[in-house]
C-alpha cells in the first residue's frame, strides 16, 4: 500500500497531466453551479489517477498472488473494482482515473510480490 501511494502521488504530481475534478469540470466547464458530488467534499489533489483505485488494486493483487486465487468468498479483483467505481459514483474521479489507478496498483502489487515477498519465502 505504501508503494502504491508513492507511485500514485508520482503520477499525480510528477507528470504533465493536471486534470481537474468532475465537480470543477461540471460547475465551471458546463456552468452548472448547482451540481454537487455525492461525497459532499472533493479532494484538493489532481484527479488523475485515482489513489483509492491504486490502493485497492495493490491490496487485491497481493492477496490474489499470495492465496493463489482471486476468490475466497468474493473476488479480490471485484472488491478493488468496486472501490474504484465508488470514486466515480461519488463524483470525485472520472472512469479513466479509476481504470488507470487499478492498473497502477496491479503493477505495484506484481512487482512487490515478485521482488520482495518471494525473496522472503512467500
Amino acid at each position: 500500500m505504501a508503494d502504491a501511494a508513492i507511485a500514485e502521488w508520482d503520477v499525480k504530481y510528477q507528470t504533465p497531466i493536471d486534470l481537474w475534478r468532475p465537480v470543477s469540470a461540471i460547475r465551471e466547464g458546463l456552468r452548472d453551479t448547482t451540481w454537487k458530488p455525492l461525497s459532499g467534499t472533493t479532494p484538493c489533489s489532481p484527479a488523475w489517477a485515482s489513489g483509492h483505485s491504486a490502493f485497492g488494486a495493490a491490496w487485491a493483487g497481493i492477496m490474489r498472488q499470495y492465496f493463489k486465487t482471486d476468490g475466497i468468498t468474493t473476488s479480490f479483483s471485484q472488491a478493488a473494482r468496486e472501490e474504484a467505481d465508488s470514486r466515480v459514483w461519488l463524483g470525485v474521479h472520472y472512469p479513466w482515473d479509476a481504470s488507470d489507478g487499478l492498473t497502477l496498483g496491479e503493477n505495484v502489487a506484481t512487482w512487490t510480490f515478485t521482488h520482495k515477498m518471494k525473496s522472503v519465502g512467500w
Side-chain angles (χ1 to χ4, degrees):
M1 299 286 285
D3 288 338
I6 291 166
E8 176 57 34
W9 261 246
D10 281 352
V11 164
K12 283 187 181 293
Y13 293 106
Q14 304 297 323
T15 63
I17 298 171
D18 185 12
L19 191 61
W20 58 359
R21 298 281 179 166
V23 65
S24 299
I26 292 169
R27 287 181 182 166
E28 296 172 33
L30 298 177
R31 309 256 188 250
D32 182 353
T33 57
T34 62
W35 186 84
K36 295 181 181 178
L38 290 175
S39 67
T41 61
T42 301
C44 59
S45 59
W48 187 80
S50 169
H52 282 76
S53 300
F55 304 147
W59 167 81
I62 292 294
M63 299 300 281
R64 188 178 59 256
Q65 292 174 70
Y66 178 80
F67 288 111
K68 297 179 177 57
T69 183
D70 195 27
I72 302 298
T73 57
T74 188
S75 104
F76 297 121
S77 297
Q78 181 61 33
R81 175 86 251 171
E82 289 178 15
E83 179 179 18
D85 288 345
S86 76
R87 306 305 290 168
V88 175
W89 284 103
L90 285 173
V92 297
H93 280 292
Y94 301 99
W96 57 83
D97 298 334
S99 295
D100 291 349
L102 287 169
T103 299
L104 178 65
E106 181 61 34
N107 290 342
V108 167
T110 298
W111 188 92
T112 301
F113 190 84
T114 303
H115 292 86
K116 298 298 180 185
M117 294 181 77
K118 287 284 187 177
S119 67
V120 293
W122 295 60

PDB file of all heavy atoms in Angstrom, residues 92-119:
ATOM      1  N   VAL A  92     -15.845  12.192  -7.563  1.00  0.00           N
ATOM      2  CA  VAL A  92     -14.513  12.752  -7.344  1.00  0.00           C
ATOM      3  C   VAL A  92     -13.494  12.257  -8.360  1.00  0.00           C
ATOM      4  O   VAL A  92     -12.364  12.730  -8.369  1.00  0.00           O
ATOM      5  CB  VAL A  92     -14.010  12.491  -5.895  1.00  0.00           C
ATOM      6  CG1 VAL A  92     -14.902  13.181  -4.887  1.00  0.00           C
ATOM      7  CG2 VAL A  92     -13.909  11.019  -5.601  1.00  0.00           C
ATOM      8  N   HIS A  93     -13.890  11.321  -9.227  1.00  0.00           N
ATOM      9  CA  HIS A  93     -12.992  10.813 -10.271  1.00  0.00           C
ATOM     10  C   HIS A  93     -13.764  10.522 -11.542  1.00  0.00           C
ATOM     11  O   HIS A  93     -14.969  10.282 -11.515  1.00  0.00           O
ATOM     12  CB  HIS A  93     -12.285   9.529  -9.826  1.00  0.00           C
ATOM     13  CG  HIS A  93     -11.127   9.770  -8.928  1.00  0.00           C
ATOM     14  ND1 HIS A  93      -9.966  10.389  -9.354  1.00  0.00           N
ATOM     15  CD2 HIS A  93     -10.946   9.506  -7.621  1.00  0.00           C
ATOM     16  CE1 HIS A  93      -9.123  10.482  -8.346  1.00  0.00           C
ATOM     17  NE2 HIS A  93      -9.700   9.956  -7.272  1.00  0.00           N
ATOM     18  N   TYR A  94     -13.023  10.517 -12.631  1.00  0.00           N
ATOM     19  CA  TYR A  94     -13.545  10.101 -13.927  1.00  0.00           C
ATOM     20  C   TYR A  94     -13.309   8.599 -14.063  1.00  0.00           C
ATOM     21  O   TYR A  94     -12.443   8.036 -13.373  1.00  0.00           O
ATOM     22  CB  TYR A  94     -12.812  10.819 -15.061  1.00  0.00           C
ATOM     23  CG  TYR A  94     -12.921  12.313 -14.997  1.00  0.00           C
ATOM     24  CD1 TYR A  94     -11.891  13.085 -14.458  1.00  0.00           C
ATOM     25  CD2 TYR A  94     -14.046  12.970 -15.477  1.00  0.00           C
ATOM     26  CE1 TYR A  94     -11.978  14.465 -14.407  1.00  0.00           C
ATOM     27  CE2 TYR A  94     -14.144  14.346 -15.430  1.00  0.00           C
ATOM     28  CZ  TYR A  94     -13.105  15.091 -14.890  1.00  0.00           C
ATOM     29  OH  TYR A  94     -13.199  16.450 -14.831  1.00  0.00           O
ATOM     30  N   PRO A  95     -14.018   7.913 -14.959  1.00  0.00           N
ATOM     31  CA  PRO A  95     -13.787   6.466 -15.138  1.00  0.00           C
ATOM     32  C   PRO A  95     -12.335   6.126 -15.478  1.00  0.00           C
ATOM     33  O   PRO A  95     -11.811   5.125 -15.003  1.00  0.00           O
ATOM     34  CB  PRO A  95     -14.736   6.095 -16.279  1.00  0.00           C
ATOM     35  CG  PRO A  95     -15.841   7.097 -16.181  1.00  0.00           C
ATOM     36  CD  PRO A  95     -15.173   8.383 -15.741  1.00  0.00           C
ATOM     37  N   TRP A  96     -11.678   6.954 -16.288  1.00  0.00           N
ATOM     38  CA  TRP A  96     -10.286   6.646 -16.649  1.00  0.00           C
ATOM     39  C   TRP A  96      -9.348   6.824 -15.464  1.00  0.00           C
ATOM     40  O   TRP A  96      -8.319   6.160 -15.398  1.00  0.00           O
ATOM     41  CB  TRP A  96      -9.830   7.462 -17.857  1.00  0.00           C
ATOM     42  CG  TRP A  96      -9.952   8.936 -17.689  1.00  0.00           C
ATOM     43  CD1 TRP A  96      -9.070   9.779 -17.063  1.00  0.00           C
ATOM     44  CD2 TRP A  96     -11.034   9.748 -18.129  1.00  0.00           C
ATOM     45  NE1 TRP A  96      -9.542  11.066 -17.087  1.00  0.00           N
ATOM     46  CE2 TRP A  96     -10.745  11.092 -17.751  1.00  0.00           C
ATOM     47  CE3 TRP A  96     -12.220   9.499 -18.817  1.00  0.00           C
ATOM     48  CZ2 TRP A  96     -11.592  12.149 -18.027  1.00  0.00           C
ATOM     49  CZ3 TRP A  96     -13.055  10.560 -19.092  1.00  0.00           C
ATOM     50  CH2 TRP A  96     -12.748  11.863 -18.705  1.00  0.00           C
ATOM     51  N   ASP A  97      -9.661   7.700 -14.526  1.00  0.00           N
ATOM     52  CA  ASP A  97      -8.856   7.811 -13.306  1.00  0.00           C
ATOM     53  C   ASP A  97      -8.883   6.479 -12.555  1.00  0.00           C
ATOM     54  O   ASP A  97      -7.853   6.002 -12.071  1.00  0.00           O
ATOM     55  CB  ASP A  97      -9.414   8.885 -12.355  1.00  0.00           C
ATOM     56  CG  ASP A  97      -9.406  10.284 -12.922  1.00  0.00           C
ATOM     57  OD1 ASP A  97      -8.585  10.578 -13.803  1.00  0.00           O
ATOM     58  OD2 ASP A  97     -10.238  11.090 -12.452  1.00  0.00           O
ATOM     59  N   ALA A  98     -10.086   5.921 -12.450  1.00  0.00           N
ATOM     60  CA  ALA A  98     -10.256   4.649 -11.733  1.00  0.00           C
ATOM     61  C   ALA A  98      -9.523   3.520 -12.453  1.00  0.00           C
ATOM     62  O   ALA A  98      -8.801   2.740 -11.831  1.00  0.00           O
ATOM     63  CB  ALA A  98     -11.744   4.322 -11.584  1.00  0.00           C
ATOM     64  N   SER A  99      -9.694   3.423 -13.756  1.00  0.00           N
ATOM     65  CA  SER A  99      -9.037   2.353 -14.530  1.00  0.00           C
ATOM     66  C   SER A  99      -7.524   2.462 -14.454  1.00  0.00           C
ATOM     67  O   SER A  99      -6.825   1.461 -14.254  1.00  0.00           O
ATOM     68  CB  SER A  99      -9.481   2.408 -15.994  1.00  0.00           C
ATOM     69  OG  SER A  99     -10.846   2.127 -16.096  1.00  0.00           O
ATOM     70  N   ASP A 100      -7.006   3.668 -14.621  1.00  0.00           N
ATOM     71  CA  ASP A 100      -5.553   3.859 -14.561  1.00  0.00           C
ATOM     72  C   ASP A 100      -5.020   3.594 -13.158  1.00  0.00           C
ATOM     73  O   ASP A 100      -3.921   3.059 -12.987  1.00  0.00           O
ATOM     74  CB  ASP A 100      -5.171   5.262 -15.029  1.00  0.00           C
ATOM     75  CG  ASP A 100      -5.411   5.455 -16.524  1.00  0.00           C
ATOM     76  OD1 ASP A 100      -5.662   4.466 -17.235  1.00  0.00           O
ATOM     77  OD2 ASP A 100      -5.347   6.616 -16.975  1.00  0.00           O
ATOM     78  N   GLY A 101      -5.790   3.958 -12.136  1.00  0.00           N
ATOM     79  CA  GLY A 101      -5.392   3.657 -10.758  1.00  0.00           C
ATOM     80  C   GLY A 101      -5.344   2.156 -10.504  1.00  0.00           C
ATOM     81  O   GLY A 101      -4.429   1.653  -9.846  1.00  0.00           O
ATOM     82  N   LEU A 102      -6.336   1.429 -11.040  1.00  0.00           N
ATOM     83  CA  LEU A 102      -6.332  -0.033 -10.901  1.00  0.00           C
ATOM     84  C   LEU A 102      -5.105  -0.640 -11.574  1.00  0.00           C
ATOM     85  O   LEU A 102      -4.458  -1.532 -11.012  1.00  0.00           O
ATOM     86  CB  LEU A 102      -7.609  -0.633 -11.500  1.00  0.00           C
ATOM     87  CG  LEU A 102      -8.887  -0.423 -10.703  1.00  0.00           C
ATOM     88  CD1 LEU A 102     -10.105  -0.824 -11.531  1.00  0.00           C
ATOM     89  CD2 LEU A 102      -8.845  -1.207  -9.402  1.00  0.00           C
ATOM     90  N   THR A 103      -4.779  -0.165 -12.757  1.00  0.00           N
ATOM     91  CA  THR A 103      -3.601  -0.675 -13.472  1.00  0.00           C
ATOM     92  C   THR A 103      -2.332  -0.380 -12.694  1.00  0.00           C
ATOM     93  O   THR A 103      -1.469  -1.248 -12.536  1.00  0.00           O
ATOM     94  CB  THR A 103      -3.524  -0.044 -14.877  1.00  0.00           C
ATOM     95  OG1 THR A 103      -4.701  -0.409 -15.606  1.00  0.00           O
ATOM     96  CG2 THR A 103      -2.300  -0.527 -15.632  1.00  0.00           C
ATOM     97  N   LEU A 104      -2.213   0.834 -12.186  1.00  0.00           N
ATOM     98  CA  LEU A 104      -1.040   1.211 -11.398  1.00  0.00           C
ATOM     99  C   LEU A 104      -0.896   0.327 -10.162  1.00  0.00           C
ATOM    100  O   LEU A 104       0.174  -0.203  -9.876  1.00  0.00           O
ATOM    101  CB  LEU A 104      -1.132   2.684 -10.995  1.00  0.00           C
ATOM    102  CG  LEU A 104       0.003   3.225 -10.128  1.00  0.00           C
ATOM    103  CD1 LEU A 104       1.311   3.206 -10.915  1.00  0.00           C
ATOM    104  CD2 LEU A 104      -0.319   4.634  -9.672  1.00  0.00           C
ATOM    105  N   GLY A 105      -1.985   0.154  -9.431  1.00  0.00           N
ATOM    106  CA  GLY A 105      -1.946  -0.681  -8.225  1.00  0.00           C
ATOM    107  C   GLY A 105      -1.608  -2.129  -8.534  1.00  0.00           C
ATOM    108  O   GLY A 105      -0.841  -2.765  -7.801  1.00  0.00           O
ATOM    109  N   GLU A 106      -2.153  -2.652  -9.615  1.00  0.00           N
ATOM    110  CA  GLU A 106      -1.844  -4.032 -10.014  1.00  0.00           C
ATOM    111  C   GLU A 106      -0.368  -4.171 -10.368  1.00  0.00           C
ATOM    112  O   GLU A 106       0.274  -5.156  -9.990  1.00  0.00           O
ATOM    113  CB  GLU A 106      -2.716  -4.445 -11.206  1.00  0.00           C
ATOM    114  CG  GLU A 106      -2.484  -5.856 -11.682  1.00  0.00           C
ATOM    115  CD  GLU A 106      -2.785  -6.925 -10.641  1.00  0.00           C
ATOM    116  OE1 GLU A 106      -3.710  -6.747  -9.829  1.00  0.00           O
ATOM    117  OE2 GLU A 106      -2.071  -7.957 -10.642  1.00  0.00           O
ATOM    118  N   ASN A 107       0.180  -3.197 -11.062  1.00  0.00           N
ATOM    119  CA  ASN A 107       1.608  -3.229 -11.399  1.00  0.00           C
ATOM    120  C   ASN A 107       2.480  -3.176 -10.147  1.00  0.00           C
ATOM    121  O   ASN A 107       3.477  -3.896 -10.046  1.00  0.00           O
ATOM    122  CB  ASN A 107       1.963  -2.077 -12.339  1.00  0.00           C
ATOM    123  CG  ASN A 107       1.386  -2.244 -13.717  1.00  0.00           C
ATOM    124  OD1 ASN A 107       1.000  -3.343 -14.118  1.00  0.00           O
ATOM    125  ND2 ASN A 107       1.294  -1.155 -14.459  1.00  0.00           N
ATOM    126  N   VAL A 108       2.106  -2.352  -9.194  1.00  0.00           N
ATOM    127  CA  VAL A 108       2.845  -2.277  -7.923  1.00  0.00           C
ATOM    128  C   VAL A 108       2.765  -3.612  -7.190  1.00  0.00           C
ATOM    129  O   VAL A 108       3.770  -4.120  -6.689  1.00  0.00           O
ATOM    130  CB  VAL A 108       2.310  -1.131  -7.032  1.00  0.00           C
ATOM    131  CG1 VAL A 108       2.847  -1.236  -5.614  1.00  0.00           C
ATOM    132  CG2 VAL A 108       2.651   0.222  -7.633  1.00  0.00           C
ATOM    133  N   ALA A 109       1.576  -4.211  -7.137  1.00  0.00           N
ATOM    134  CA  ALA A 109       1.409  -5.496  -6.443  1.00  0.00           C
ATOM    135  C   ALA A 109       2.250  -6.588  -7.082  1.00  0.00           C
ATOM    136  O   ALA A 109       2.915  -7.365  -6.386  1.00  0.00           O
ATOM    137  CB  ALA A 109      -0.066  -5.902  -6.448  1.00  0.00           C
ATOM    138  N   THR A 110       2.230  -6.653  -8.410  1.00  0.00           N
ATOM    139  CA  THR A 110       3.000  -7.688  -9.109  1.00  0.00           C
ATOM    140  C   THR A 110       4.492  -7.507  -8.861  1.00  0.00           C
ATOM    141  O   THR A 110       5.200  -8.466  -8.563  1.00  0.00           O
ATOM    142  CB  THR A 110       2.677  -7.661 -10.613  1.00  0.00           C
ATOM    143  OG1 THR A 110       1.283  -7.965 -10.768  1.00  0.00           O
ATOM    144  CG2 THR A 110       3.510  -8.677 -11.378  1.00  0.00           C
ATOM    145  N   TRP A 111       4.976  -6.270  -8.956  1.00  0.00           N
ATOM    146  CA  TRP A 111       6.396  -6.027  -8.714  1.00  0.00           C
ATOM    147  C   TRP A 111       6.753  -6.361  -7.271  1.00  0.00           C
ATOM    148  O   TRP A 111       7.755  -7.025  -7.011  1.00  0.00           O
ATOM    149  CB  TRP A 111       6.748  -4.567  -9.015  1.00  0.00           C
ATOM    150  CG  TRP A 111       8.231  -4.348  -8.963  1.00  0.00           C
ATOM    151  CD1 TRP A 111       9.098  -4.422 -10.003  1.00  0.00           C
ATOM    152  CD2 TRP A 111       9.018  -4.067  -7.796  1.00  0.00           C
ATOM    153  NE1 TRP A 111      10.379  -4.204  -9.558  1.00  0.00           N
ATOM    154  CE2 TRP A 111      10.360  -3.980  -8.202  1.00  0.00           C
ATOM    155  CE3 TRP A 111       8.715  -3.884  -6.451  1.00  0.00           C
ATOM    156  CZ2 TRP A 111      11.397  -3.704  -7.312  1.00  0.00           C
ATOM    157  CZ3 TRP A 111       9.754  -3.620  -5.562  1.00  0.00           C
ATOM    158  CH2 TRP A 111      11.081  -3.533  -5.998  1.00  0.00           C
ATOM    159  N   THR A 112       5.944  -5.910  -6.325  1.00  0.00           N
ATOM    160  CA  THR A 112       6.226  -6.149  -4.906  1.00  0.00           C
ATOM    161  C   THR A 112       6.217  -7.633  -4.588  1.00  0.00           C
ATOM    162  O   THR A 112       7.121  -8.139  -3.918  1.00  0.00           O
ATOM    163  CB  THR A 112       5.197  -5.412  -4.021  1.00  0.00           C
ATOM    164  OG1 THR A 112       5.274  -4.011  -4.306  1.00  0.00           O
ATOM    165  CG2 THR A 112       5.461  -5.650  -2.548  1.00  0.00           C
ATOM    166  N   PHE A 113       5.218  -8.343  -5.084  1.00  0.00           N
ATOM    167  CA  PHE A 113       5.134  -9.775  -4.804  1.00  0.00           C
ATOM    168  C   PHE A 113       6.321 -10.510  -5.416  1.00  0.00           C
ATOM    169  O   PHE A 113       6.950 -11.342  -4.770  1.00  0.00           O
ATOM    170  CB  PHE A 113       3.822 -10.358  -5.334  1.00  0.00           C
ATOM    171  CG  PHE A 113       3.573 -11.760  -4.857  1.00  0.00           C
ATOM    172  CD1 PHE A 113       2.993 -11.979  -3.623  1.00  0.00           C
ATOM    173  CD2 PHE A 113       3.935 -12.853  -5.624  1.00  0.00           C
ATOM    174  CE1 PHE A 113       2.773 -13.268  -3.155  1.00  0.00           C
ATOM    175  CE2 PHE A 113       3.723 -14.145  -5.170  1.00  0.00           C
ATOM    176  CZ  PHE A 113       3.137 -14.341  -3.933  1.00  0.00           C
ATOM    177  N   THR A 114       6.655 -10.191  -6.645  1.00  0.00           N
ATOM    178  CA  THR A 114       7.738 -10.873  -7.364  1.00  0.00           C
ATOM    179  C   THR A 114       9.114 -10.571  -6.783  1.00  0.00           C
ATOM    180  O   THR A 114       9.941 -11.460  -6.642  1.00  0.00           O
ATOM    181  CB  THR A 114       7.716 -10.473  -8.852  1.00  0.00           C
ATOM    182  OG1 THR A 114       6.440 -10.790  -9.390  1.00  0.00           O
ATOM    183  CG2 THR A 114       8.791 -11.196  -9.637  1.00  0.00           C
ATOM    184  N   HIS A 115       9.343  -9.320  -6.419  1.00  0.00           N
ATOM    185  CA  HIS A 115      10.680  -8.915  -5.998  1.00  0.00           C
ATOM    186  C   HIS A 115      10.900  -8.904  -4.490  1.00  0.00           C
ATOM    187  O   HIS A 115      12.039  -9.058  -4.045  1.00  0.00           O
ATOM    188  CB  HIS A 115      10.995  -7.525  -6.549  1.00  0.00           C
ATOM    189  CG  HIS A 115      11.146  -7.502  -8.018  1.00  0.00           C
ATOM    190  ND1 HIS A 115      10.076  -7.349  -8.875  1.00  0.00           N
ATOM    191  CD2 HIS A 115      12.232  -7.645  -8.809  1.00  0.00           C
ATOM    192  CE1 HIS A 115      10.507  -7.387 -10.116  1.00  0.00           C
ATOM    193  NE2 HIS A 115      11.803  -7.569 -10.100  1.00  0.00           N
ATOM    194  N   LYS A 116       9.880  -8.711  -3.722  1.00  0.00           N
ATOM    195  CA  LYS A 116      10.060  -8.596  -2.266  1.00  0.00           C
ATOM    196  C   LYS A 116       9.502  -9.779  -1.493  1.00  0.00           C
ATOM    197  O   LYS A 116      10.162 -10.323  -0.629  1.00  0.00           O
ATOM    198  CB  LYS A 116       9.424  -7.294  -1.747  1.00  0.00           C
ATOM    199  CG  LYS A 116      10.058  -6.055  -2.333  1.00  0.00           C
ATOM    200  CD  LYS A 116      11.520  -5.948  -1.968  1.00  0.00           C
ATOM    201  CE  LYS A 116      12.147  -4.705  -2.551  1.00  0.00           C
ATOM    202  NZ  LYS A 116      13.585  -4.661  -2.310  1.00  0.00           N
ATOM    203  N   MET A 117       8.281 -10.179  -1.779  1.00  0.00           N
ATOM    204  CA  MET A 117       7.668 -11.254  -0.989  1.00  0.00           C
ATOM    205  C   MET A 117       8.263 -12.613  -1.343  1.00  0.00           C
ATOM    206  O   MET A 117       8.433 -13.445  -0.466  1.00  0.00           O
ATOM    207  CB  MET A 117       6.150 -11.243  -1.176  1.00  0.00           C
ATOM    208  CG  MET A 117       5.526  -9.968  -0.599  1.00  0.00           C
ATOM    209  SD  MET A 117       3.757  -9.904  -0.768  1.00  0.00           S
ATOM    210  CE  MET A 117       3.273 -11.038   0.544  1.00  0.00           C
ATOM    211  N   LYS A 118       8.590 -12.845  -2.590  1.00  0.00           N
ATOM    212  CA  LYS A 118       9.195 -14.117  -2.981  1.00  0.00           C
ATOM    213  C   LYS A 118      10.577 -14.285  -2.336  1.00  0.00           C
ATOM    214  O   LYS A 118      10.973 -15.389  -2.011  1.00  0.00           O
ATOM    215  CB  LYS A 118       9.341 -14.202  -4.508  1.00  0.00           C
ATOM    216  CG  LYS A 118       8.057 -14.412  -5.244  1.00  0.00           C
ATOM    217  CD  LYS A 118       7.615 -15.836  -5.121  1.00  0.00           C
ATOM    218  CE  LYS A 118       6.414 -16.057  -6.007  1.00  0.00           C
ATOM    219  NZ  LYS A 118       5.957 -17.400  -6.019  1.00  0.00           N
ATOM    220  N   SER A 119      11.277 -13.179  -2.137  1.00  0.00           N
ATOM    221  CA  SER A 119      12.621 -13.260  -1.572  1.00  0.00           C
ATOM    222  C   SER A 119      12.643 -13.653  -0.097  1.00  0.00           C
ATOM    223  O   SER A 119      13.665 -14.049   0.420  1.00  0.00           O
ATOM    224  CB  SER A 119      13.354 -11.931  -1.767  1.00  0.00           C
ATOM    225  OG  SER A 119      12.746 -10.915  -0.993  1.00  0.00           O
TER     226      SER A 119
END
